[in-house]
Amino acid sequence: MELSSEDNNLTEKFLPPIEQESDVELETKVKKYLRGEGANLETLKDKKLKTQLASREKLYGKSAKTAAKIEKWLLPAEAGYLETDGLEKTWRVKQTDIANEVDLLSSRNQYDIVLPDFGPYKLDFTASGRHMIAGGRKGHLALVDMMSMNLIKEIQVKETVRDVAFLHNEQFFAAAQKKYAYIYGRDGTELHCLKERGPVARLRFLKNHFLLASVNKSGQLHYQDVTYGGMVASIRTGKGRTDVMEVNPYNGVVALGHSGGTVTMWKPTSQAPLVQMQCHPGPVSSVAFHPNGHLMATSGKERKLKIWDLRKFEEIQTIHGFHAKTLSFSQKGLLAAGTGSFVQILGDSSGSSSSHNYSRYMNHSMVKGYQIEKLMFRPYEDVIGIGHSMGWSSILIPGSGEPNFDSWVANPFETSKQRREKEVHLLLDKLPPETIMLDPSKIGAMKPSRRKEKPSRGEIEAEKEVAIEAAKSTELKKKTKGRNKPSKRTKKKKEMVENAKRTFPEQGHNNTASKKRRIGEDAAAELPASLKRFARKN
Amino acid sequence: MGEKRRSTSKTLGKNKRRKGPHLPNSILKTIANEKRPLNSDEEDDEIDSDDAIVDLYEYEEGVPEEESRKNNRYDPVVNYNYELPEDFEDENVESDDDDEGGNSDNEEGEGDDVVRHTRMLQAVTGMPSAAFDGESKRKPVLFTEAYPESEFNPTRDVLEGKGLLTIDELMAPIEGKPGFNELEKRISRMQKDAQAVVHAPLPKPERERLERKAVKGLVDKEFNKWVHMVKRNREAPTVYFNQNVSLGYSTVGAIASEFQPRTDFEKKMASVLNDNELGEAHDEDGAKLLELNEVSVEDQIKYRDHIAKMRSLLFRHELKSKRIKKIKSKTYHRLKGKDLKKSAMGALMDPEMAKEEAMKQEARRVEERMTLKHKNTGKWAKRMISRGLNVKYDGTRAAISEQLQINATLSRKMNSTNDGSSSDESDDEEELNDGSDQDTPSKLIAKAREKTLKTVEDDEVPNSGLLSLPFMARAMKKKNEEAIEGGKRALEEYEEWENSGGEENPKKTAVVSGRRVFGATAKVEAPKESRKDSDNFYDNSDSDNDTEGIENNDLGAVRDTASPARNTGAITETEFDDDVENPASKTTFDVALFASGSWKKMKGCQNAETKKKLKKHVPYSKGQDKKESRDDESEDSESEAEEMVDGILTSASKETYEIPSQAELIQRAFAGDDVVDEFEKEKQEVLNQEVPEPEKPVLVPGWGQWTNIQKKRGLPSWMVREHEDAKKKRTLDLKTRKDARLRHVIISEKVDKKVEKLHTTTLPFPYTSKEVFEHSMRMPIGPEFNPATIVGSLNRPEVVKRAGVIIKPLKFEEANPNEKVDDEHPRSNQKQNPKKGGKTGKGQSKGKSKQKTKA
């Protein structure tokens, strides 16, 4: 074993530069899959544990390395990108220019569906990006297969539709209508009417927890478990009406944007908000979360767009002169903002994952008069769907989607059998609502220590020491009439020390006494009623 | 020895005393002899005795004292150790031993004497026997030299003094006798041994310590050999117990090679297969095979007979089946006849027959019209419809629709059969088609009006028969009036339609006809509508084929590049108008306006339009400036938008363009003024709630306020101190909060009880530090998060063992203690050795296998 590893080292040293580069690349990937550093085992005293943990770490390393290699060699597709040379700027590139360059399949993703009658459209994609639900304000619901561009089903509910959301797959979708929210099946049949929520303004589905979250007109946040229909939580936000709601995909925390410029984050198991942030001086118009859960983008009506780091709750960047009605992060971290009939795509120009600097990446202006209602990147495609007042459109944004899909996570080419299998697995892997927290990686760790109510024994001892020392070191006054005799002084000092000691009651003694009493009480409690009078009384 | 004897004598004496003098000595002796073989103890005697309690007490006190102190029976080790040298000495003097035996024999007699003596003393002095115990105790010592002094019985002085007898002296008389040399040698050897000084044994604890030390060294050495094995097993993440288990046969060939023919048939086959001659013949050219293939005459005859029999059987069976096939049932014949009739009608019919047939059919038709037999008015049909079964079951629905079909064909107006060859149905269709082809809707309306006018006008009342009866006449009149009125209304409607351009009419009919599918009429109507709607744009596309999807239309649209896009846009707009205006489409719930026949087309058109636009612009932009193309696009869309605004869309766009009210604008403008303050206030509130401020110390009224001095002093110092401590604690808590340094953030630090169950309260067993534990928990080990090649080793159990494998105790083997434990799955070590199936697992442990691979 040792020999071979040495050999490896030797070969590493004499690698040609290109391979070394690739090694560096591999190294970063390995780091990603290692999910942080291992513990320092040197501090451990238990040899057995030490060796066990060391072997475990070794396995982890192996796993990470294989995963990195798989990612490097077996994931074939590369992310799209937009490259300009010279003085050209990426944001000057028009959709028509892109259409010339891309292949036929991609160019099919540029289109406008003009449906002028039923008002601004809300969109939602399934996790795989295969299906889209479009909900027109005036009651038009259409379920579309985006791959074949087939209309699967459309219905006219003849009511205001405020929002639409897919449940765990394309078989079900929810629509927030005038009075209640409804759940429909794929074939447009109404399955449930969710009356408890009242008139819902926004709907979001938490995939891992199977919770349908909604905020209604009176600012109440509801969580309903769609597996058994129980209302998991209904929370009064107390911040008034809002229609800005987004789910952090990383931890399932729901964020609401309020008119006071605050963004609040909620979980179903607590009535108080987890976090309240004063993001803007004016009303918050939209919120979006980066898929890795560390970044949040907010936009206020005072024409500012801010990007926040959710680990530190600090503002990273402010983009001035821009007010977004709708915001959306793509899988690869592009940020789309839509106002009026104008779409702006911001890209992270700093390559590193630690620092972020969002700047203009692409622009797209719709036909004048089209009011953008909703932007949403289509997963696993370099496409953004735009729901607007005249129907919906789709444009190409190179480099927005994840190029390689994991069929265990989301499969755009899913067969019905796979879908059923997946559904069962999803249900088995369903997370309970209490797992929603700001840092879900803390699950399974030690309970965070509460603030101490009582000082520990050691602390008391220390305090006692200090008090005694203080008593000993106090200077006595000089007294007259024989009261300044050394004997008297020592006596006095002793007394003071005794007093100082007395303030700290003997701990051990107390404990034993109480224990004794408890034993006696227990005995008394165990005796039958008729014999209780004979129990020893303390 | 002397002491022991004394004790026995004493107990004996006691016994004697207790038993009293009335028993003669001889009898006592016999009793004692009888008892002795059983227990050989004095206790039996004691049981026999019927003495007083006092005596018993005496006895009890005496025995434990003696036995615990003097009698060493219960401590054999010590006794042995101590006695060993003495025994050795005793061995030398054989005569002594004999002597002793003799002594012991005599002892009883002696004892007797002693007893008698004491009794005598007792009688003389009148004192209790205990007083003479001392004497009696000393006496046995004296008794050892009870024999009269002689040369055979030297006194003790002689024994201990100068006249010591040596072995040499004893040996002297037998010198020269046979066997003397041998004896001398033995004795000299013995003497030599005796000369070796026997030291006093070491004290017991020390000796034991030494022993332990020696043993420990040995044991340590023995056990140290196992240390590395144990260590390896302990540290191994997995211990395998399924090594070297033979997996049996691996291939079919291996199984087949073991085959042994057992039955006769198998043996026969084997003999043929393994025949060398045959094999050779086969290999050469096959000519020899014929020679080898000998057939006996008997066999041949047998075979021929068999074949003949089978043939005859087959023939008979064939005949039988032919006959059976000819037999047909009544129904079969009836149906067949019907079929024949029908076919005959169609094929070979002379004009007369045809006419007759036509007449017949006409009659049937008339009958149908009279009875309306097939018009869902039958009992069965009514029942089905009333119960809604026609919707539920496909079969029922089909039956009912078939009935309707029959009804339709029969009740349709029949042409005269003059034309002969042409069927009425096709004719009918033609007629309708003719009308539809040539007529514009206005013409149709005109036709309808004419008809109604006619009916309205010629309302003649029959003069005779049933209808001439007065009540019938009245009824007829009434009916007529109604009909006329209806007709007038219809006329009015027709006029209206004509004025409006006759657009709506066909559409309505289409909507109606779309629901009911009645053969020809519907078929005709649909294309008519579409043809009317579509202008030049739709001419090329297969627009009358409703069922075709987007793609088809798409293609059509693309093909038709000549038609201006704007034109189509206009058309679509008008169509939208129509649809929206049409109340019928709005009332349909599920279908909405797009779900009707026109929607799909519409969508296709829209798609086509937009797509085409995109595609069209691509080539333009290539050549031209980007700006220009952009302008172009915007122009197009602008115009479109304008049009939309003109049309139905105004309301929708109004909503999106809503200008915020003044109040709202002001609110928005000044929104930032107090928001931050409010937030800070809120934060303070939350902080106060989560980290409450300590209560201000107050005295209960009346307490501590007796005098002015007390009042002046204020609160007692301990109260103030406590309050200050609490305050300090609060500030500390506030400082340690996560949001202490973030002014714009409030992070709740409330403890969620439901979440607590997701954390551990104590560290799980082997872990001692929280940090190490949490670091080890960071990696998920499930198959979703790890490559398939690693998952197995990540999740392997501590012990891998196949069911039924016997775990044998660890066997010792030499192994390199510095060898590293690697977690490679040792399955690769497992060999498939089918031939040596009996190989049993030798070393069960993992270490064993390792050793093997190393070697």
Side-chain angles (χ1 to χ4, degrees), chain B residues 634-651:
Chain B
S634 65
E635 197 183 77
D636 259 13
S637 45
E638 249 177 279
S639 62
E640 219 174 63
E642 271 168 33
E643 271 169 348
M644 280 164 201
V645 170
D646 285 342
I648 183 74
L649 260 180
T650 43
S651 60

PDB file of all heavy atoms in Angstrom, chain B residues 634-651:
ATOM      1  N   SER B 634     -40.611  45.860 -33.379  1.00  0.00           N
ATOM      2  CA  SER B 634     -41.440  46.673 -32.497  1.00  0.00           C
ATOM      3  C   SER B 634     -42.612  47.255 -33.270  1.00  0.00           C
ATOM      4  O   SER B 634     -43.722  47.343 -32.763  1.00  0.00           O
ATOM      5  CB  SER B 634     -40.591  47.776 -31.876  1.00  0.00           C
ATOM      6  OG  SER B 634     -40.170  48.639 -32.887  1.00  0.00           O
ATOM      7  N   GLU B 635     -42.331  47.625 -34.505  1.00  0.00           N
ATOM      8  CA  GLU B 635     -43.396  48.197 -35.317  1.00  0.00           C
ATOM      9  C   GLU B 635     -44.523  47.190 -35.463  1.00  0.00           C
ATOM     10  O   GLU B 635     -45.689  47.488 -35.202  1.00  0.00           O
ATOM     11  CB  GLU B 635     -42.833  48.562 -36.692  1.00  0.00           C
ATOM     12  CG  GLU B 635     -43.707  49.514 -37.454  1.00  0.00           C
ATOM     13  CD  GLU B 635     -43.109  49.756 -38.827  1.00  0.00           C
ATOM     14  OE1 GLU B 635     -43.253  48.883 -39.690  1.00  0.00           O
ATOM     15  OE2 GLU B 635     -42.474  50.786 -38.995  1.00  0.00           O
ATOM     16  N   ASP B 636     -44.081  46.006 -35.841  1.00  0.00           N
ATOM     17  CA  ASP B 636     -45.066  44.937 -35.996  1.00  0.00           C
ATOM     18  C   ASP B 636     -45.905  44.781 -34.755  1.00  0.00           C
ATOM     19  O   ASP B 636     -47.125  44.817 -34.784  1.00  0.00           O
ATOM     20  CB  ASP B 636     -44.330  43.626 -36.268  1.00  0.00           C
ATOM     21  CG  ASP B 636     -44.373  43.288 -37.741  1.00  0.00           C
ATOM     22  OD1 ASP B 636     -44.743  44.195 -38.533  1.00  0.00           O
ATOM     23  OD2 ASP B 636     -44.067  42.156 -38.076  1.00  0.00           O
ATOM     24  N   SER B 637     -45.183  44.599 -33.701  1.00  0.00           N
ATOM     25  CA  SER B 637     -45.881  44.301 -32.458  1.00  0.00           C
ATOM     26  C   SER B 637     -46.700  45.494 -31.998  1.00  0.00           C
ATOM     27  O   SER B 637     -47.772  45.340 -31.431  1.00  0.00           O
ATOM     28  CB  SER B 637     -44.875  43.899 -31.389  1.00  0.00           C
ATOM     29  OG  SER B 637     -43.798  44.789 -31.419  1.00  0.00           O
ATOM     30  N   GLU B 638     -46.150  46.669 -32.278  1.00  0.00           N
ATOM     31  CA  GLU B 638     -46.887  47.862 -31.856  1.00  0.00           C
ATOM     32  C   GLU B 638     -48.240  47.910 -32.537  1.00  0.00           C
ATOM     33  O   GLU B 638     -49.265  48.118 -31.900  1.00  0.00           O
ATOM     34  CB  GLU B 638     -46.087  49.107 -32.227  1.00  0.00           C
ATOM     35  CG  GLU B 638     -45.534  49.824 -31.015  1.00  0.00           C
ATOM     36  CD  GLU B 638     -44.701  50.992 -31.449  1.00  0.00           C
ATOM     37  OE1 GLU B 638     -43.533  50.798 -31.813  1.00  0.00           O
ATOM     38  OE2 GLU B 638     -45.244  52.103 -31.437  1.00  0.00           O
ATOM     39  N   SER B 639     -48.148  47.701 -33.813  1.00  0.00           N
ATOM     40  CA  SER B 639     -49.395  47.765 -34.556  1.00  0.00           C
ATOM     41  C   SER B 639     -50.358  46.713 -34.003  1.00  0.00           C
ATOM     42  O   SER B 639     -51.536  46.973 -33.806  1.00  0.00           O
ATOM     43  CB  SER B 639     -49.141  47.515 -36.036  1.00  0.00           C
ATOM     44  OG  SER B 639     -48.620  46.216 -36.196  1.00  0.00           O
ATOM     45  N   GLU B 640     -49.792  45.585 -33.727  1.00  0.00           N
ATOM     46  CA  GLU B 640     -50.606  44.517 -33.199  1.00  0.00           C
ATOM     47  C   GLU B 640     -51.243  44.942 -31.885  1.00  0.00           C
ATOM     48  O   GLU B 640     -52.431  44.767 -31.668  1.00  0.00           O
ATOM     49  CB  GLU B 640     -49.727  43.293 -32.954  1.00  0.00           C
ATOM     50  CG  GLU B 640     -50.402  42.019 -33.322  1.00  0.00           C
ATOM     51  CD  GLU B 640     -49.430  40.879 -33.188  1.00  0.00           C
ATOM     52  OE1 GLU B 640     -48.965  40.635 -32.071  1.00  0.00           O
ATOM     53  OE2 GLU B 640     -49.123  40.269 -34.203  1.00  0.00           O
ATOM     54  N   ALA B 641     -50.387  45.496 -31.060  1.00  0.00           N
ATOM     55  CA  ALA B 641     -50.863  45.916 -29.754  1.00  0.00           C
ATOM     56  C   ALA B 641     -51.979  46.945 -29.896  1.00  0.00           C
ATOM     57  O   ALA B 641     -52.983  46.883 -29.198  1.00  0.00           O
ATOM     58  CB  ALA B 641     -49.722  46.501 -28.943  1.00  0.00           C
ATOM     59  N   GLU B 642     -51.746  47.841 -30.802  1.00  0.00           N
ATOM     60  CA  GLU B 642     -52.765  48.879 -31.000  1.00  0.00           C
ATOM     61  C   GLU B 642     -54.088  48.250 -31.374  1.00  0.00           C
ATOM     62  O   GLU B 642     -55.133  48.578 -30.834  1.00  0.00           O
ATOM     63  CB  GLU B 642     -52.320  49.832 -32.107  1.00  0.00           C
ATOM     64  CG  GLU B 642     -51.483  50.982 -31.575  1.00  0.00           C
ATOM     65  CD  GLU B 642     -50.816  51.722 -32.698  1.00  0.00           C
ATOM     66  OE1 GLU B 642     -51.396  51.814 -33.792  1.00  0.00           O
ATOM     67  OE2 GLU B 642     -49.697  52.191 -32.474  1.00  0.00           O
ATOM     68  N   GLU B 643     -53.956  47.338 -32.287  1.00  0.00           N
ATOM     69  CA  GLU B 643     -55.176  46.668 -32.713  1.00  0.00           C
ATOM     70  C   GLU B 643     -55.864  46.017 -31.533  1.00  0.00           C
ATOM     71  O   GLU B 643     -57.075  46.077 -31.384  1.00  0.00           O
ATOM     72  CB  GLU B 643     -54.828  45.615 -33.754  1.00  0.00           C
ATOM     73  CG  GLU B 643     -54.841  46.192 -35.145  1.00  0.00           C
ATOM     74  CD  GLU B 643     -54.240  45.225 -36.136  1.00  0.00           C
ATOM     75  OE1 GLU B 643     -53.632  44.232 -35.711  1.00  0.00           O
ATOM     76  OE2 GLU B 643     -54.377  45.487 -37.322  1.00  0.00           O
ATOM     77  N   MET B 644     -55.057  45.402 -30.726  1.00  0.00           N
ATOM     78  CA  MET B 644     -55.631  44.720 -29.575  1.00  0.00           C
ATOM     79  C   MET B 644     -56.310  45.702 -28.653  1.00  0.00           C
ATOM     80  O   MET B 644     -57.384  45.451 -28.137  1.00  0.00           O
ATOM     81  CB  MET B 644     -54.546  43.987 -28.813  1.00  0.00           C
ATOM     82  CG  MET B 644     -54.209  42.695 -29.466  1.00  0.00           C
ATOM     83  SD  MET B 644     -52.667  42.129 -28.833  1.00  0.00           S
ATOM     84  CE  MET B 644     -52.185  41.045 -30.109  1.00  0.00           C
ATOM     85  N   VAL B 645     -55.664  46.812 -28.497  1.00  0.00           N
ATOM     86  CA  VAL B 645     -56.251  47.826 -27.629  1.00  0.00           C
ATOM     87  C   VAL B 645     -57.592  48.261 -28.193  1.00  0.00           C
ATOM     88  O   VAL B 645     -58.565  48.447 -27.479  1.00  0.00           O
ATOM     89  CB  VAL B 645     -55.291  49.016 -27.487  1.00  0.00           C
ATOM     90  CG1 VAL B 645     -55.986  50.166 -26.794  1.00  0.00           C
ATOM     91  CG2 VAL B 645     -54.071  48.592 -26.698  1.00  0.00           C
ATOM     92  N   ASP B 646     -57.633  48.387 -29.522  1.00  0.00           N
ATOM     93  CA  ASP B 646     -58.896  48.742 -30.145  1.00  0.00           C
ATOM     94  C   ASP B 646     -59.970  47.717 -29.838  1.00  0.00           C
ATOM     95  O   ASP B 646     -61.128  48.040 -29.640  1.00  0.00           O
ATOM     96  CB  ASP B 646     -58.707  48.841 -31.662  1.00  0.00           C
ATOM     97  CG  ASP B 646     -57.968  50.108 -32.008  1.00  0.00           C
ATOM     98  OD1 ASP B 646     -57.934  51.012 -31.124  1.00  0.00           O
ATOM     99  OD2 ASP B 646     -57.415  50.190 -33.096  1.00  0.00           O
ATOM    100  N   GLY B 647     -59.540  46.466 -29.812  1.00  0.00           N
ATOM    101  CA  GLY B 647     -60.514  45.388 -29.666  1.00  0.00           C
ATOM    102  C   GLY B 647     -60.893  45.127 -28.217  1.00  0.00           C
ATOM    103  O   GLY B 647     -61.157  46.038 -27.442  1.00  0.00           O
ATOM    104  N   ILE B 648     -60.816  43.902 -27.909  1.00  0.00           N
ATOM    105  CA  ILE B 648     -61.346  43.469 -26.612  1.00  0.00           C
ATOM    106  C   ILE B 648     -60.405  43.813 -25.481  1.00  0.00           C
ATOM    107  O   ILE B 648     -60.802  43.917 -24.338  1.00  0.00           O
ATOM    108  CB  ILE B 648     -61.597  41.957 -26.661  1.00  0.00           C
ATOM    109  CG1 ILE B 648     -62.221  41.452 -25.339  1.00  0.00           C
ATOM    110  CG2 ILE B 648     -60.311  41.202 -26.931  1.00  0.00           C
ATOM    111  CD1 ILE B 648     -63.636  41.843 -25.224  1.00  0.00           C
ATOM    112  N   LEU B 649     -59.153  43.973 -25.819  1.00  0.00           N
ATOM    113  CA  LEU B 649     -58.134  43.979 -24.777  1.00  0.00           C
ATOM    114  C   LEU B 649     -58.116  45.202 -23.879  1.00  0.00           C
ATOM    115  O   LEU B 649     -57.372  45.237 -22.915  1.00  0.00           O
ATOM    116  CB  LEU B 649     -56.758  43.843 -25.414  1.00  0.00           C
ATOM    117  CG  LEU B 649     -56.200  42.443 -25.344  1.00  0.00           C
ATOM    118  CD1 LEU B 649     -54.848  42.435 -25.987  1.00  0.00           C
ATOM    119  CD2 LEU B 649     -56.139  41.973 -23.919  1.00  0.00           C
ATOM    120  N   THR B 650     -58.870  46.200 -24.271  1.00  0.00           N
ATOM    121  CA  THR B 650     -58.745  47.471 -23.561  1.00  0.00           C
ATOM    122  C   THR B 650     -58.809  47.304 -22.050  1.00  0.00           C
ATOM    123  O   THR B 650     -58.030  47.905 -21.329  1.00  0.00           O
ATOM    124  CB  THR B 650     -59.855  48.427 -24.003  1.00  0.00           C
ATOM    125  OG1 THR B 650     -61.063  47.673 -24.071  1.00  0.00           O
ATOM    126  CG2 THR B 650     -59.530  49.060 -25.327  1.00  0.00           C
ATOM    127  N   SER B 651     -59.727  46.491 -21.625  1.00  0.00           N
ATOM    128  CA  SER B 651     -59.902  46.361 -20.173  1.00  0.00           C
ATOM    129  C   SER B 651     -58.648  45.773 -19.527  1.00  0.00           C
ATOM    130  O   SER B 651     -58.191  46.254 -18.503  1.00  0.00           O
ATOM    131  CB  SER B 651     -61.110  45.475 -19.865  1.00  0.00           C
ATOM    132  OG  SER B 651     -60.892  44.198 -20.421  1.00  0.00           O
TER     133      SER B 651
END
